[in-house]
Amino acid sequence: MTQDTSPVAETVADDLVDEDFETIGDYHRMAAHHFQAAAKHHLAAAAADDEGDDEANARHAFLAYRHQLNGVQCAEIAMMESDSLDDPFDVPSEDDTQ
């Protein structure tokens, strides 16, 4: 069972692992890296299941889930950093809801 590795994803991960995140784009790129890694592990888990390899299936499923959680966390940080919670917004009046 082989896994394709994307040179772009590896470069992004290598660039961001040793550096602090400085921009919202960095969080988006890292989220994409984690989601791509999760997809690869899901495919590897599916292949392991097809082959009847329960140990590899469980290992890849765990790694996929871990990458998914990290991806969601990075995506949430990017969203929270892009929208200031202090931004004023209009509270709808009762007339607007009818």
Side-chain angles (χ1 to χ4, degrees):
M1 169 172 48
T2 61
Q3 293 181 6
D4 295 330
T5 56
S6 167
V8 173
E10 288 179 6
T11 301
V12 168
D14 291 344
D15 289 346
L16 295 177
V17 168
D18 294 330
E19 298 179 15
D20 292 333
F21 294 92
E22 295 182 4
T23 67
I24 293 169
D26 290 340
Y27 284 103
H28 285 298
R29 281 184 280 280
M30 199 60 180
H33 161 74
H34 282 295
F35 288 132
Q36 184 177 31
K40 288 179 182 181
H41 282 291
H42 277 298
L43 291 171
D49 183 64
D50 292 343
E51 296 169 3
D53 188 346
D54 293 337
E55 184 179 324
N57 180 355
R59 184 178 67 251
H60 285 294
F62 170 77
L63 292 171
Y65 183 63
R66 192 175 79 177
H67 277 292
Q68 176 187 338
L69 291 176
N70 286 324
V72 168
Q73 182 180 28
C74 289
E76 288 173 344
I77 292 169
M79 188 277 308
M80 293 298 289
E81 292 295 322
S82 66
D83 263 347
S84 172
L85 296 176
D86 297 331
D87 288 344
F89 64 94
D90 292 329
V91 176
S93 68
E94 288 183 21
D95 294 334
D96 293 340
T97 59
Q98 295 177 358

